[in-house]
Structure formats: C-alpha cells, structure tokens
Amino acid sequence: MLDVIVQRREQEAEDILSFDFVSSKNASLPAFTPGAHIDVHLPGGIVRQYSLCHPWSESSPGQYTIAVQREPQSRGGSVAAHALQTGMALQISEPRNLFELAPAAQKHLLFAGGIGITPIVCMAQALASQGQLFELHYFCRSQERAAFQRVLKSSALSQFAHLHVGTDTAAEVAQLLSTPEAGTHVYVCGPTGFMDCVLGTAANQGWNAQNLHKEYFAAAVVELQGDQSFQVQVASTGQHYEIPVGKTVFEILDSAGVNVPVSCEQGVCGTCVTRVLQGTPDHRDQYLTDAEKAANDCFTPCCSRSRTPLLVLDL
Ligand code: FES
C-alpha cells in the first residue's frame, strides 16, 4: 500500500475529473508500464481501479495521474472519487498491469471509447516517445466529453490521434479493422457496448485473437434469475461451503477466513482468478478469454457461479 496525497484536481472534460497523486513521504512512486492501473482506496471503504494516464518516467518518478468519470449509475466509487480534494491523503496500491502493449508488435491500433481513453492515452504517449508505429482512435459522444485533448493535440500525438465525435461507430470501426495484419495489435478500452463492437468486428474480419487486447472497466449486466445455490470445496482442507443465491464465492470464503485476493469484485480485473479442480463454472466475468472460459479450469470467485452442484477449488 502506498500513502499519497492529492496534489492536483482538475476538470478534464464534462463529468470527468483528473487527479495527480504524489507520495505523502516525498518519495518516488514505483515504475509501471503503459496500461497499468492502481487500486484507489476512497473514503467510505470503497476500492476502485483506475488506469494511470501518463507514462512513468525516470525524470518525473513522483507522480501518478488518474481520470474519473462521474457515472449516473455509480455504485458509489465515482461519486467518492469526485469528492476528493487537493491535499487529501489516501492509500493506493502499487500499479499492476493486465493490459500490456505487445512488445513484438510492428504496429499498434488503439481504440478508446469515452473514459476508456485513460489507459489508451498512456499507451499512446509511450509509443510516441519510443518512435513506434501506432494510431489512436478515440470515440466520444461530444467534444465536451473528450478528455486529454491537450495531450492528444500536442505535437507528439496529434498526427496519430483521431477523435471521432458523434459518428457511426460501427461503420468506422469496421473500416478501421477491414484489413487484418499479422504484425498489428489492437487494444480497446471503453464501455461494454463499444468494446463488444470493436472485438466483435475484429473477430468477424478475421483478426487473430492473440492480437486483440482489452480492458473492461465495468461489469456486464448479468441475468440473475435462475441462480441456484451450490457448494465449493477448498481442496487444501477438504472443507465444503454452501454458496447461496445472492452471495458470491468470494464473500462466503472470505467470511469463513479463506483468503482469496480480490480487487474489482466485478469480474473485470483478474485478481481473483482461481484454479478449478472439479466441476463446471458458470463464468460471469469479462476478464477470461473465451478459450479460457471454455477450458473451465479456472474461474473468478468474485462474480462467477457454478453449473454443477460442486466446484472443487485449488485453494
Ligand atoms: Fe477482479 Fe475478481 S476481483 S475479477
């Protein structure tokens, strides 16, 4: 855990605030690679993940920047984040990266929808400084809601960054992905509908799944009707636990003192992925790939359930 203070709070775009965090001990903050995120421990015991928006650099190692969009359907996180004020102290995790740039790619195609620009703008700045080949396509409802415009219009990025405002997203994405290239990697972050559009289009146009990289920041809406209770067994102790309707595997195991690391608790970050030794999970996350889900040898206990009466977990 890192102790930081809010050094800067700024209106980045309509409904979007950006914040700079610096160490409260005047120390450097740990290095990270583009696409990384941190857990931010907000007032009220709320923990949320936010991408780091500017690349770490040895010349300015003391600062992390995040941007937060105020969500009308917020579970409390974006409201608590927007209440942060300059000078406030809080704790954050060390950066983790589940959305890395592919080191061997010859070209990078970056797609951002709305607030999904946060990891993408970091990637773009890093790629530009390394002289790598890339394009950034940023889809927004309006100019007012487009964040980081100053950075995107800077001399370093302006020739690579394309803002698509109020356009026909599906048609433009189809055009941009019309020619699959083996050496080109595609990255997407944004609302679920936008991500599904980019990933679905890429799959339909024949892009290799290995070349597609995604980061969800919100859980998909899951149909809960028909949920049933089931049992999990912790392999190391042989202990069985009943998972009732309305409770997650994580919640039951956690309250019984079984340690399962979690972060987002909504199936988007991958922190809780646990090996399944027996039984068939009912996958409800957006983190595992289709192939990983089909293998059924791991699942996300923060949100996924079971298709069989028993799941034996490698815990
Ligand atoms: Fe994030 Fe489970 S805690 S996927």
Side-chain angles (χ1 to χ4, degrees):
M1 211 63 103
L2 305 168
D3 293 306
V4 296
I5 56 171
V6 180
Q7 187 191 49
R8 183 190 61 91
R9 174 190 193 273
E10 198 171 296
Q11 192 82 40
E12 189 66 49
E14 189 178 312
D15 285 339
I16 299 175
L17 294 177
S18 62
F19 302 90
D20 289 344
F21 298 148
V22 295
S23 163
S24 59
K25 298 171 183 140
N26 247 341
S28 294
L29 293 172
F32 62 89
T33 49
H37 69 269
I38 52 172
D39 295 345
V40 178
H41 293 251
L42 296 161
I46 298 171
V47 183
R48 289 290 181 273
Q49 292 69 46
Y50 296 108
S51 298
L52 295 167
C53 304
H54 298 309
W56 190 88
S57 111
E58 275 178 35
S59 57
S60 60
Q63 182 179 300
Y64 291 164
T65 301
I66 65 164
V68 183
Q69 176 167 285
R70 190 183 176 97
E71 303 288 352
Q73 310 295 346
S74 169
R75 293 183 298 143
S78 73
V79 172
H82 273 227
L84 292 176
Q85 300 297 331
T86 307
M88 279 175 73
L90 68 163
Q91 289 193 309
I92 61 173
S93 70
E94 294 207 357
R96 278 178 302 160
N97 201 339
L98 303 167
F99 191 39
E100 294 270 11
L101 287 164
Q106 289 153 16
K107 183 178 176 184
H108 306 264
L109 267 183
L110 311 175
F111 287 89
I115 192 63
I117 189 65
T118 52
I120 296 290
V121 73
C122 187
M123 290 171 157
Q125 291 169 87
L127 292 169
S129 71
Q130 294 160 13
Q132 293 204 47
L133 203 53
F134 75 99
E135 289 172 25
L136 188 167
H137 295 278
Y138 181 14
F139 293 79
C140 267
R141 266 194 280 153
S142 68
Q143 193 87 25
E144 292 71 35
R145 299 181 73 83
F148 297 108
Q149 292 197 52
R150 223 176 20 240
V151 177
L152 297 172
K153 287 178 181 162
S154 67
S155 56
L157 291 194
S158 61
Q159 58 182 307
F160 309 108
H162 308 274
L163 185 58
H164 305 257
V165 173
T167 52
D168 182 343
T169 302
E172 297 203 7
V173 167
Q175 166 67 27
L176 291 164
L177 293 174
S178 60
T179 316
E181 289 159 9
T184 299
H185 283 243
V186 174
Y187 307 81
V188 57
C189 185
T192 305
F194 175 76
M195 308 233 348
D196 290 348
C197 170
V198 173
L199 295 169
T201 303
N204 288 338
Q205 313 249 40
W207 286 78
N208 187 337
Q210 310 283 343
N211 290 31
L212 306 180
H213 310 266
K214 58 184 190 283
E215 178 144 279
Y216 285 94
F217 54 73
V221 176
V222 173
E223 183 54 68
L224 301 177
Q225 272 179 1
D227 276 3
Q228 294 194 345
S229 63
F230 59 97
Q231 294 223 326
V232 295
Q233 182 183 23
V234 171
S236 62
T237 61
Q239 192 80 37
H240 284 73
Y241 301 90
E242 176 84 7
I243 314 298
V245 173
K247 288 281 182 191
T248 67
V249 175
F250 162 70
E251 286 169 335
I252 296 298
L253 294 183
D254 187 56
S255 62
V258 179
N259 180 37
V260 179
V262 290
S263 183
C264 72
E265 291 186 55
Q266 50 177 337
V268 296
C269 76
T271 304
C272 67
V273 171
T274 300
R275 282 218 314 142
V276 173
L277 303 176
Q278 192 186 315
T280 307
D282 178 2
H283 298 286
R284 301 196 173 177
D285 64 284
Q286 290 163 288
Y287 175 76
L288 296 174
T289 63
D290 289 345
E292 287 168 334
K293 286 177 181 168
N296 281 329
D297 57 2
C298 63
F299 89 135
T300 51
C302 71
C303 63
S304 294
R305 298 185 67 81
S306 181
R307 294 188 184 283
T308 46
L310 175 69
L311 283 184
V312 181
L313 305 182
D314 188 13
L315 288 170

